[in-house]
Every structure is written in structure tokens, then in C-alpha cells.
Amino acid sequence: MSHQSKLDRAKVHFDDLDASVTEFLRQKPYRITGEKDLERWQYVMRIHRTAPFPENWSLILGDCLHNLRSALDHLVYAIALTQGSIREGIKIQFPIFRNPGEFDDRSKEFLKLVPMRAREASKGLQPYQGPHGVDGAYCHPLWRLHRLNNIDKHRHFVIHGTWPPSMSVVIGDGIDQSGPDRLDGFGVFSGPFPDGAEVFRAPMLQGFEGKPDVKLHFRASIALAEPSLGANLFARETVRAIHDHIRDIVFPALRDYVAGASHRAPSSGEDA
């Protein structure tokens, strides 16, 4: 089935990206600097890139997302084929909408040749049907796929360095830890980080003249600077979640409606 081939191809692109990012970050292409903010009497740490991110990351990511989106459209097309040949000019695609009103108004155009039970199944897979409802639909894997795929059609992704919130900080001499909860006035940031961004800030002990002793322990990663989809959208983790959602949730939900599609020949000149 072509929808499975598209999903498999997306995984190839993802593995290429993952391997490239892993090797790049293994070389630790960044440095951490510390400076005193004497006006606030605080110690500030910043991250600086020592090598640019490879330009092909955005291209590979776009190829991966395109194949993920195509896997969904191929799936719906295969379902439509079970009902007979498809005329030229008929638009068929997997609908992705953030609220039920948009789905009810606009999905009919995309699913007109799809059996009613399959339409209902696709409705149950919409982002607004997720655990966080309409308000949380923006962080659903399918909505992120929809938005990122559209962004890739018009421009490259903006990629920054980042790290997970699990970063740890070891505090030594020079840092004032006397606040009510020992972290009063501290700032530990998780990104995304443009070059030179502030990653840590803490109050210094009054009168301390040396360099404060602060060590950051973290696992570097990369994030997409797309505020409409979240403040710190981890690139690899996001794409992996989209792939797994399609493989484990969408495909099984619609699998039964595809039976026999591969044995029908579509009409010539069809437009999906």
C-alpha cells in the first residue's frame, strides 16, 4: 500500500536527520560563558554556537514532514478507491482541523467519496478530539504536522539549540542560596536559544569578588522556533511523535476501510 510506503520513507528521512543531529551535537559545537551583572548583582551565563547548524537539516525535515502528510492523503485515497474509480479533478485528502465547526463545514470536500463510517472514523482522529480538547489542539501531533508542513511549503524552518527541562545546575561558591526556597531569584531557561542567549541567572553573594562556581549539566538538542506551535518545540521529538501517532493511532483506526483498494485501477488523469 502506498500510504505505508510513504510512512516508511518518512522514517528514512527522520533517521537521516537524527543521525546528522546526533553526530553534530556529539562534537559539542557550543561554549558557555559567565559574566557578572553588577547592576543587579547577579551572575549570568550564556550559550554561544561555535559552528553553524547544517543547512540541510531544514530540507531533510521538510522531506520527512511531506511524506508524513502524504501518507495520510494516500490512505484516504485508498479508501476512496474501494468505492470505484476516481474522476479527474476530484480533491481527496485527509482532513485536519482544530475545531468541530471547521471539520463539519470543510471536510465534506475532501471526503466526498469516502464511506460514511470512514468519515466518522476520521472525525474521531481530529486534533480537537485529543485529551486537551479544542484549547489544546495546537499541540496535537496531527495539527503540528499540518502547520509544519504548510510552513515548509513557504520557507525554511528556524532552528535553534536547546535542551530539555531536565538540565541540572550545580551551585558552588559565590551564589546566594539564602532565599526562602533556596532558588529565590534564580532563572534557568530551556530555550530555544539563538546564539548568545541567556541560559542561567542567579543572585551573587554580596561582596563576592571572584568568579562564581556554577556548573550546568545538560543534553543538547535542537528546537524549532515556531511560537504558534509551542515555545520550545523539540524538532526530533516532535517528528517522532507525529510518525508514531500515524503508525499507531491513525492507520489502525482506518485500516479496515482500505481492504481491496490495491486491486482497483484508478482512472487516468486523476487528481488527488
Side-chain angles (χ1 to χ4, degrees):
M1 287 293 190
S2 63
H3 57 276
Q4 184 62 55
S5 297
K6 284 289 186 179
L7 188 64
D8 292 342
R9 186 61 186 171
K11 183 63 164 56
V12 171
H13 288 304
F14 173 79
D15 289 343
D16 288 344
L17 176 66
D18 189 46
S20 178
V21 172
T22 298
E23 175 57 26
F24 181 81
L25 295 179
R26 186 186 64 80
Q27 302 172 43
K28 297 185 177 181
Y30 51 84
R31 60 187 176 88
I32 303 292
T33 62
E35 61 191 41
K36 292 182 178 180
D37 181 346
L38 297 180
E39 289 187 5
R40 300 182 182 180
W41 201 250
Q42 294 177 337
Y43 187 62
V44 180
M45 303 183 78
R46 300 181 183 277
I47 189 167
H48 306 269
R49 287 203 304 266
T50 57
F53 293 138
E55 294 183 0
N56 68 341
W57 282 1
S58 184
L59 300 176
I60 299 173
L61 182 58
D63 290 341
C64 180
L65 292 165
H66 172 73
N67 278 277
L68 289 170
R69 187 64 177 94
S70 295
L72 296 175
D73 294 341
H74 278 233
L75 176 60
V76 171
Y77 194 84
I79 295 172
L81 277 178
T82 65
Q83 306 303 296
S85 296
I86 300 174
R87 301 190 313 274
E88 180 179 356
I90 297 295
K91 188 173 185 179
I92 300 172
Q93 70 181 58
F94 184 91
I96 301 177
F97 296 105
R98 280 186 61 178
N99 63 71
E102 287 186 346
F103 181 89
D104 292 339
D105 291 342
R106 300 175 57 191
S107 66
K108 299 181 183 67
E109 176 187 2
F110 306 140
L111 301 176
K112 65 183 70 175
L113 299 182
V114 172
M116 184 57 67
R117 289 179 60 197
R119 294 186 202 179
E120 289 301 315
S122 68
K123 184 175 183 177
L125 295 167
Q126 294 302 300
Y128 62 84
Q129 301 277 23
H132 304 294
V134 174
D135 291 341
Y138 75 94
C139 63
H140 189 279
L142 292 184
W143 184 253
R144 284 179 168 173
L145 170 61
H146 171 74
R147 288 288 297 119
L148 291 171
N149 187 55
N150 282 342
I151 289 170
D152 179 64
K153 293 177 182 177
H154 300 92
R155 62 172 171 83
H156 287 321
F157 295 109
V158 178
I159 298 176
H160 288 317
T162 189
W163 51 60
S166 57
M167 180 191 75
S168 63
V169 182
V170 179
I171 304 295
D173 294 339
I175 298 299
D176 185 356
Q177 302 182 62
S178 61
D181 59 1
R182 287 175 53 85
L183 291 179
D184 185 43
F186 280 53
V188 181
F189 313 106
S190 60
F193 299 120
D195 189 39
E198 183 177 318
V199 297
F200 176 81
R201 176 181 288 270
M204 294 188 297
L205 288 172
Q206 291 297 320
F208 186 80
E209 296 183 356
K211 179 180 179 180
D213 181 16
V214 179
K215 295 181 176 60
L216 305 181
H217 298 279
F218 59 89
R219 178 176 57 85
S221 188
I222 61 170
L224 302 176
E226 303 296 343
S228 65
L229 292 170
N232 197 17
L233 193 65
F234 295 101
R236 290 182 292 178
E237 292 81 353
T238 296
V239 175
R240 183 184 292 112
I242 293 170
H243 171 276
D244 292 353
H245 184 84
I246 293 174
R247 181 194 63 194
D248 300 336
I249 304 297
V250 178
F251 277 15
L254 297 175
R255 181 180 296 128
D256 291 345
Y257 304 105
V258 188
S262 61
H263 304 298
R264 292 183 182 269
S267 61
S268 61
E270 62 196 14
D271 180 8

